[in-house]
Amino acid sequence: MSVTAPKGFRAAGVAAGLKSSGAPDVALVVNDGPDATAAGVFTANRVKAAPVLWSQQVLRAGIVRAVVLNSGGANACTGPLGFQDTHATAEHAAATLSAANPRLLVGAGDVAVCSTGLIGERLPMEKLLPGVRSAVRGLSRDGGPAAAEAIMTTDTRPKTTVVAGAGWSVGGMAKGAGMLAPALATMLCVLTTDAVAGSEALDAALREACRLTFDRVDSDGCMSTNDTVLLLASGASGIEPTQQELTAAVTAAAHDLAQQLVADAEGATKQIAVEVVGAASEADAVEAGRSVARNNLVKTALFGNDPNWGRILAAVGTTAAAFEPDAIDVAVNGVWVCRGGAAAEDRAKVDLSGRDVAIRVNLHAGDAAATIWTNDLSHAYVHENSAYST
Amino acid sequence: MSVTAPKGFRAAGVAAGLKSSGAPDVALVVNDGPDATAAGVFTANRVKAAPVLWSQQVLRAGIVRAVVLNSGGANACTGPLGFQDTHATAEHAAATLSAANPRLLVGAGDVAVCSTGLIGERLPMEKLLPGVRSAVRGLSRDGGPAAAEAIMTTDTRPKTTVVAGAGWSVGGMAKGAGMLAPALATMLCVLTTDAVAGSEALDAALREACRLTFDRVDSDGCMSTNDTVLLLASGASGIEPTQQELTAAVTAAAHDLAQQLVADAEGATKQIAVEVVGAASEADAVEAGRSVARNNLVKTALFGNDPNWGRILAAVGTTAAAFEPDAIDVAVNGVWVCRGGAAAEDRAKVDLSGRDVAIRVNLHAGDAAATIWTNDLSHAYVHENSAYST
């Protein structure tokens, strides 16, 4: 049911012609309330797309009544005119929603905008604005799946989730299959809940959820210009969970979507969990895990079903994490191929025939741990990304 | 003429059976003096191979009389026994050289050792030590090319250079085709000179040369466990150049070898120079250039002959360099496809049919500049690195 699983939300997904394929490319999520509290987390990239700059301003007030999302163009690196396009999109959505339902009283400043697709080209506004009108007409309580489909780019399948609370729930949708990297996997994500929650509670829940899920997905080390994760609360359940309950549910929803992103990453043949244990701090574990996850030689080796643990050690060695090189253990799919920084169990025992790969690195420097999720580097990744814009 | 171009050096390259192909795999470079001053620069990876740990100790005294180099095995992540193997190699070389020419009086502590190949496996000492003896027997004044050939791994051709000074010269050889990354391109390099120079002068010259050449090659973002660059001076010309002359010649030799490394990088179809100008500092220019050079999406786009400047901006945006996102210009092969952070000249004008690609990024934040050299990310890279150890 995606973003419309919680009470108080309607959504739609329509084809506006932004994609040459004719596939759906404009999504709309509307919060009918009674509340309209919201929180957002955005890309750490300093080159931010126009919709990110816009939505950051919208979120400052902690109120979001609608989100317009389009695939088929990122509206990034498009200058002041690109920002005007985003502004016009929000204006148009607000006016159309208000006309359709005067009780809503939506202003442009209550409308977040998300875009995804090729960087550096203006959006065809003559197609996008009619698409927004069409989406408003198509809004429904079961429009969540259609919205999730309309935000896909190179994704092969839509990503949706529902997490049940006690009388309330969290719903969500996400897209993203490449440019998946730290400080948000390159992605758009809208989470909804019918819980009663202030924008500060939502912000705390969302930041913790992102820190533990999307921020630890590193498919190809490339950080996007458009990453946006929004959390909208309608309060329609009338139930106010504790901060802990809210954070747990939002984190579970984000985790589910993050795993779907890794599962569908561009050209991937492996879904790899790099778990670093025995670290002196969680930050050390994240740094070491990320270094392994980003290493092209580790990723190509796993594509070739080769448990090349020397490359894993070489990747850990580039970090500032606390460890002694001759105290590191490495297991690949449960086989401890490296102990004390040198060869241990026979690498031939490692079974890499399946899609899931579990790498475990023990730094023997403390009690902290973290897991980073990534993919292999395959011919299909090279193919897909060498042909994307042409 | 490689490392034997300067007076006072002999070298050899022999096949000891470390490579299953039967290709040459043990090289020896001997400094017959009268001087034996030396300097070395080593990988910044904290997981260092045994020969790196050994050679760092040797270099502490600033004296090197011989260098043993082997391909066919990195002797990295091999524990205390691996270090003993390196020690035994130096001992054996010293004893054999001293027996062959008692005038030399070589001790193990004067012998640097370099290894390259697969990480995590012990060297077959029963093959390596006879290879060292065979190399001692084969030493000659024109053995430079044979030595350069014996250190190749996935290199398709040997890399050698000669730079002439006024009555003295610098010679060199290098290997390295993958794991080419900052803090030394993954590589072995021996530079020789018959200039008269103390170890401190050599150290200053070598550090400056590496900073401007090898440290700015970033083929695949992966830092090796075995990187070693050595500079040996025989003083046989009797001429003592100024520090400036020495540094200039060593830098020229290193630059030539660095370019040969990029030209022969694994699976590359493009040789890419990322020049960042208008930076607030040289460090900013290097950081921004490296971020572009390491970006898999930029590299796959160039493999596909696609001047996808949006990905270049997104890569610059992940850095801490001083810039305003709406003030960045980007040219690809001379066409300014992006000005002021937005689309400018038609990307269709960019000719990417050749092997050389020049990316120029103007940050408009100052007067500093730097160039990073890299390659594209191709199917052949994936193929070569997914099949290397198996």
Side-chain angles (χ1 to χ4, degrees):
Chain A
M1 279 290 284
S2 175
V3 289
T4 47
K7 289 186 281 287
F9 293 93
R10 287 177 297 153
V14 301
L18 304 179
K19 287 178 179 165
S20 55
S21 65
D25 45 22
V26 173
L28 180 63
V29 180
V30 172
N31 184 352
D32 289 318
D35 299 342
T37 48
V41 174
F42 300 91
T43 180
N45 199 313
R46 291 169 60 203
V47 175
K48 294 187 203 310
V52 169
L53 296 171
W54 170 265
S55 297
Q56 283 182 315
Q57 288 184 21
V58 169
L59 265 294
R60 222 163 271 166
I63 299 288
V64 170
R65 293 189 191 277
V67 186
V68 179
L69 309 95
N70 76 272
S71 51
N75 197 8
C77 306
T78 45
L81 296 174
F83 189 81
Q84 285 179 25
D85 290 342
T86 293
H87 190 170
T89 304
E91 290 271 14
H92 196 71
T96 311
L97 281 167
S98 297
N101 184 349
R103 195 179 56 80
L104 270 177
L105 274 180
V106 181
D110 307 326
V111 179
V113 179
C114 303
S115 300
T116 180
L118 186 63
I119 299 174
E121 294 190 353
R122 297 275 303 280
L123 291 172
M125 296 301 286
E126 76 286 358
K127 294 178 180 170
L128 177 55
L129 296 186
V132 170
R133 291 196 294 276
S134 167
V136 170
R137 282 194 301 273
L139 282 171
S140 80
R141 276 288 294 141
D142 54 8
E149 199 182 332
I151 60 175
M152 291 165 58
T153 51
T154 55
D155 308 68
T156 66
R157 45 186 181 273
K159 286 97 179 167
T160 65
T161 191
V162 180
V163 174
W168 56 282
S169 65
V170 174
M173 66 178 186
K175 66 76 49 177
M179 253 199 199
L180 283 172
L184 293 195
T186 295
M187 49 170 302
L188 303 180
C189 174
V190 178
L191 297 165
T192 55
T193 180
D194 49 10
V196 175
S199 57
E200 286 182 13
L202 295 174
D203 189 69
L206 187 60
R207 283 185 193 282
E208 177 70 359
C210 286
R211 188 177 75 78
L212 295 172
T213 61
F214 297 126
D215 277 353
R216 295 191 180 174
V217 171
D218 191 337
S219 174
D220 62 3
C222 297
M223 194 197 296
S224 141
T225 50
N226 288 58
D227 294 329
T228 301
V229 182
L230 300 175
L231 172 58
L232 279 52
S234 68
S237 72
I239 296 168
E240 183 171 358
T242 66
Q243 180 73 54
Q244 198 180 354
E245 290 167 341
L246 181 67
T247 299
V250 173
T251 301
H255 179 78
D256 184 19
L257 290 171
Q259 293 304 309
Q260 292 179 54
L261 293 173
V262 177
D264 193 28
E266 281 171 356
T269 74
K270 302 286 186 195
Q271 192 167 343
I272 304 161
V274 182
E275 183 186 11
V276 177
V277 302
S281 67
E282 188 176 332
D284 272 13
V286 169
E287 183 187 354
R290 217 188 275 298
S291 181
V292 173
R294 298 184 120 182
N295 189 284
N296 278 353
L297 291 171
V298 172
K299 292 155 81 88
T300 47
L302 291 174
F303 171 62
N305 291 338
D306 173 11
N308 195 322
W309 58 269
R311 294 178 179 180
I312 295 171
L313 245 63
V316 173
T318 65
T319 71
F323 67 81
E324 292 300 324
D326 57 2
I328 302 177
D329 300 340
V330 177
V332 181
N333 280 354
V335 179
W336 290 94
V337 287
C338 167
R339 286 203 188 268
E345 287 189 67
D346 186 356
R347 66 165 77 203
K349 288 186 192 165
V350 180
D351 179 4
L352 283 169
S353 58
R355 185 175 174 90
D356 288 312
V357 179
I359 294 174
R360 179 181 268 242
V361 178
N362 191 332
L363 297 179
H364 289 290
D367 296 323
T371 301
I372 304 291
W373 293 278
T374 188
N375 301 103
D376 58 340
L377 176 52
S378 66
H379 287 299
Y381 177 92
V382 172
H383 176 74
E384 195 153 338
N385 286 296
S386 60
Y388 181 58
S389 83
T390 50
Chain B
M1 278 290 281
S2 174
V3 290
T4 46
K7 289 187 282 286
F9 292 92
R10 288 176 298 153
V14 301
L18 304 180
K19 288 177 178 165
S20 55
S21 65
D25 46 23
V26 173
L28 180 64
V29 180
V30 172
N31 184 352
D32 289 319
D35 300 340
T37 49
V41 175
F42 300 91
T43 181
N45 199 313
R46 291 169 60 204
V47 175
K48 295 186 203 310
V52 169
L53 296 171
W54 170 265
S55 297
Q56 283 182 317
Q57 288 184 21
V58 169
L59 265 295
R60 221 163 272 165
I63 298 287
V64 170
R65 294 190 192 277
V67 186
V68 179
L69 308 95
N70 74 273
S71 51
N75 197 8
C77 306
T78 46
L81 295 175
F83 190 82
Q84 285 179 25
D85 290 342
T86 293
H87 189 169
T89 304
E91 290 271 14
H92 196 71
T96 312
L97 281 167
S98 298
N101 184 349
R103 196 178 54 79
L104 270 178
L105 272 181
V106 182
D110 307 328
V111 179
V113 179
C114 303
S115 300
T116 180
L118 185 64
I119 300 174
E121 294 190 355
R122 297 277 302 280
L123 291 173
M125 296 301 286
E126 76 286 359
K127 294 178 180 171
L128 177 55
L129 297 185
V132 169
R133 291 197 294 275
S134 167
V136 169
R137 284 193 300 273
L139 282 171
S140 80
R141 275 289 293 140
D142 53 9
E149 199 181 332
I151 60 175
M152 290 164 61
T153 51
T154 55
D155 309 68
T156 65
R157 44 186 182 273
K159 286 96 179 167
T160 65
T161 191
V162 180
V163 174
W168 56 281
S169 66
V170 175
M173 66 178 185
K175 68 76 49 178
M179 253 199 200
L180 283 172
L184 293 194
T186 295
M187 49 171 301
L188 303 180
C189 174
V190 178
L191 297 165
T192 54
T193 181
D194 49 9
V196 175
S199 57
E200 287 181 14
L202 294 174
D203 188 69
L206 186 60
R207 283 185 192 282
E208 177 70 359
C210 286
R211 190 177 73 79
L212 295 173
T213 62
F214 297 126
D215 277 353
R216 295 191 181 174
V217 170
D218 191 336
S219 175
D220 62 2
C222 297
M223 193 197 295
S224 143
T225 49
N226 288 58
D227 294 330
T228 301
V229 182
L230 300 175
L231 172 58
L232 279 53
S234 69
S237 73
I239 296 168
E240 182 170 0
T242 66
Q243 179 74 53
Q244 198 180 354
E245 290 167 341
L246 180 67
T247 300
V250 172
T251 302
H255 179 78
D256 185 18
L257 290 171
Q259 294 303 310
Q260 292 179 55
L261 292 173
V262 177
D264 193 28
E266 281 170 357
T269 74
K270 303 285 186 195
Q271 193 167 343
I272 304 161
V274 182
E275 183 186 11
V276 177
V277 302
S281 67
E282 188 177 331
D284 272 13
V286 169
E287 183 187 354
R290 214 187 278 296
S291 181
V292 173
R294 298 184 120 182
N295 190 282
N296 278 353
L297 291 171
V298 172
K299 293 155 80 89
T300 47
L302 292 173
F303 171 62
N305 291 337
D306 173 11
N308 195 322
W309 58 268
R311 293 178 179 180
I312 296 171
L313 244 64
V316 172
T318 64
T319 71
F323 66 82
E324 291 301 324
D326 57 2
I328 302 178
D329 300 339
V330 178
V332 181
N333 279 354
V335 180
W336 289 94
V337 286
C338 167
R339 285 201 189 270
E345 287 190 68
D346 185 356
R347 66 166 76 202
K349 288 185 189 164
V350 179
D351 179 4
L352 284 169
S353 58
R355 185 176 174 89
D356 289 312
V357 179
I359 293 174
R360 180 182 270 242
V361 178
N362 191 332
L363 297 179
H364 289 290
D367 296 323
T371 301
I372 304 291
W373 293 278
T374 187
N375 301 103
D376 57 340
L377 175 53
S378 66
H379 287 299
Y381 176 91
V382 172
H383 175 73
E384 196 153 337
N385 286 296
S386 59
Y388 181 58
S389 82
T390 48

